[in-house]
Amino acid sequence: MQIISPDTNIDFMKPGRLMILVSLVACVGFLTVMLWKGFNLGIEFAGGTLVQIKVPEAAGPVDEGVLRAILGDLGFGGASVVRFGAIEDREFSITVQKSEEESKNIAIELLDGVGQRFEGGVVEQKIESIGPRVGAEMRAAGFRSVALACVLILIYVWFRFDLRYAPGAVAALIHDVIITAGVFALLGLEFNLQVLAALLVVIGYSLNDTIVIYDRIRENLGLRGTTHLEEVVNQSINQTLARTLLTSLTTMVVVLALLVLGGPVIRDFALALMIGVVVGTYSTIYVASALLIRIERYQQS
């Protein structure tokens, strides 16, 4: 199946400077949002208590709104309620962020209080509790994991290609992480371990696409030299365009299926992947490749 003609010759680098500026503005904007608004951290990073319950059928109709109203009456107005599984399962995940001292008996208070509102009570499925101190340590560990991944990739690209290739690749990865995380901050979506895992997957996905294009650029530079660098980069991107689009589209189909059919358990993970795949495909062309041209021209001047 051929979705891209071999004669395709799109001038991707013509708006290269503009795209770098757009990316820079977007990154600064999302960084500002992250610093100003912050993240809606999950209990893994902020600390708190998660209680998963099952409401018996004898208790009558129940949904997230009913549980939020009950929790509000019990003094847990800021609690997050998410349906767990299918509607007929009648299972819900309740997350409450409290201080370490308040978290000690919160699960018992919540189960007793909610249970008294339903005939036959509720069935405890799972309880997890994480203190704010542990959450802070996990936040630091998460940041270190992303930073370490970027440093190791910088070193890998340096040895795999050349030092001039490395800054563009790492800039593209940082761009992808900032945009993906920034969307979660902007929309107030929960930032948890699943989202952090998705960011690391996005880094790997974006790097893979960048390596393929860089490899073709290096091959063509060996044949044509750097005199017509923009033409060589455009040629390389066009030659790998079919592979890039097929990889991105097939990945998006799987991620979309996870997002639509996977339920709330993996919804955050799937959403972060979807954003990352789109942004990663863009950054490979308009960040990594465009910066390579800028760096090469700077070294020649």
Side-chain angles (χ1 to χ4, degrees), residues 22-39:
V22 169
S23 297
L24 183 60
V25 171
C27 287
V28 172
F30 278 117
L31 281 172
T32 302
V33 170
M34 285 186 275
L35 293 173
W36 170 63
K37 190 175 181 180
F39 289 100

Side-chain angles (χ1 to χ4, degrees), residues 115-191:
Q116 292 175 7
R117 301 297 183 95
F118 294 103
E119 182 179 348
V122 295
V123 180
E124 172 193 328
Q125 300 292 94
K126 181 176 69 173
I127 295 178
E128 293 181 2
S129 184
I130 299 177
R133 189 174 304 170
V134 176
E137 293 175 358
M138 294 185 72
R139 285 200 305 273
F143 177 80
R144 286 196 299 269
S145 66
V146 175
L148 180 61
C150 291
V151 171
L152 292 177
I153 287 169
L154 176 68
I155 297 173
Y156 167 75
V157 176
W158 182 1
F159 284 98
R160 176 73 170 77
F161 295 97
D162 188 277
L163 182 59
R164 59 186 175 176
Y165 288 83
V170 174
L173 301 182
I174 294 175
H175 167 274
D176 299 344
V177 170
I178 290 175
I179 299 298
T180 306
V183 171
F184 272 75
L186 180 65
L187 300 180
L189 301 174
E190 184 175 300
F191 191 94

Side-chain angles (χ1 to χ4, degrees), residues 51-57 59 89-92 111 114-115 118-127:
V51 179
Q52 186 178 324
I53 62 173
K54 180 180 180 67
V55 182
E57 293 186 9
D89 293 337
R90 300 170 66 87
E91 293 187 17
F92 299 88
L111 286 170
V114 175
F118 294 103
E119 182 179 348
V122 295
V123 180
E124 172 193 328
Q125 300 292 94
K126 181 176 69 173
I127 295 178

Side-chain angles (χ1 to χ4, degrees), residues 201 205 208 243-258 270 273-274 276-278 281:
V201 173
Y205 176 89
N208 178 63
R243 180 262 177 204
T244 297
L245 290 180
L246 282 173
T247 302
S248 298
L249 289 175
T250 51
T251 304
M252 286 291 289
V253 169
V254 176
V255 173
L256 185 62
L258 290 174
L273 277 184
M274 177 171 286
V277 168
V278 174
T281 303

Side-chain angles (χ1 to χ4, degrees), residues 3-300:
I3 63 172
I4 299 294
S5 171
D7 299 327
T8 300
N9 186 26
I10 302 173
D11 190 357
F12 289 101
M13 291 299 101
K14 184 176 181 179
R17 292 177 181 271
L18 176 62
M19 292 297 100
I20 289 178
L21 179 61
V22 169
S23 297
L24 183 60
V25 171
C27 287
V28 172
F30 278 117
L31 281 172
T32 302
V33 170
M34 285 186 275
L35 293 173
W36 170 63
K37 190 175 181 180
F39 289 100
N40 176 22
L41 297 175
I43 63 169
E44 302 96 332
F45 297 132
T49 299
L50 181 147
V51 179
Q52 186 178 324
I53 62 173
K54 180 180 180 67
V55 182
E57 293 186 9
V62 61
D63 58 18
E64 295 93 327
V66 172
L67 284 174
R68 289 192 187 97
I70 294 173
L71 291 169
D73 294 339
L74 295 174
F76 302 118
S80 170
V81 181
V82 177
R83 185 182 294 276
F84 193 87
I87 295 177
E88 57 270 17
D89 293 337
R90 300 170 66 87
E91 293 187 17
F92 299 88
S93 175
I94 302 172
T95 304
V96 182
Q97 294 183 2
K98 295 286 184 179
S99 66
E100 193 164 7
E101 293 74 16
E102 293 175 304
S103 296
K104 292 179 180 178
N105 300 316
I106 195 172
I108 298 174
E109 295 175 9
L110 193 150
L111 286 170
D112 289 344
V114 175
Q116 292 175 7
R117 301 297 183 95
F118 294 103
E119 182 179 348
V122 295
V123 180
E124 172 193 328
Q125 300 292 94
K126 181 176 69 173
I127 295 178
E128 293 181 2
S129 184
I130 299 177
R133 189 174 304 170
V134 176
E137 293 175 358
M138 294 185 72
R139 285 200 305 273
F143 177 80
R144 286 196 299 269
S145 66
V146 175
L148 180 61
C150 291
V151 171
L152 292 177
I153 287 169
L154 176 68
I155 297 173
Y156 167 75
V157 176
W158 182 1
F159 284 98
R160 176 73 170 77
F161 295 97
D162 188 277
L163 182 59
R164 59 186 175 176
Y165 288 83
V170 174
L173 301 182
I174 294 175
H175 167 274
D176 299 344
V177 170
I178 290 175
I179 299 298
T180 306
V183 171
F184 272 75
L186 180 65
L187 300 180
L189 301 174
E190 184 175 300
F191 191 94
N192 49 35
L193 281 176
Q194 291 185 4
V195 177
L196 177 61
L199 290 179
L200 294 175
V201 173
V202 166
I203 287 175
Y205 176 89
S206 181
L207 176 66
N208 178 63
D209 201 19
T210 301
I211 291 299
V212 170
I213 294 180
Y214 271 6
D215 207 32
R216 186 58 60 89
I217 291 174
R218 183 177 62 174
E219 179 183 331
N220 288 331
L221 283 176
L223 297 174
R224 298 183 56 182
T226 60
T227 304
H228 304 287
L229 183 59
E230 285 82 358
E231 294 181 9
V232 172
V233 172
N234 270 321
Q235 178 189 12
S236 303
I237 295 174
N238 280 284
Q239 289 174 346
T240 57
L241 187 59
R243 180 262 177 204
T244 297
L245 290 180
L246 282 173
T247 302
S248 298
L249 289 175
T250 51
T251 304
M252 286 291 289
V253 169
V254 176
V255 173
L256 185 62
L258 290 174
L259 184 63
V260 175
L261 304 175
V265 179
I266 59 173
R267 187 169 295 154
D268 293 336
F269 177 80
L271 179 59
L273 277 184
M274 177 171 286
I275 298 170
V277 168
V278 174
V279 175
T281 303
Y282 161 86
S283 68
T284 297
I285 297 173
Y286 288 113
V287 177
S289 300
L291 278 178
L292 174 62
I293 294 176
R294 305 280 90 75
I295 293 172
E296 184 69 33
R297 291 305 184 206
Y298 177 78
Q299 290 182 341
Q300 292 177 357

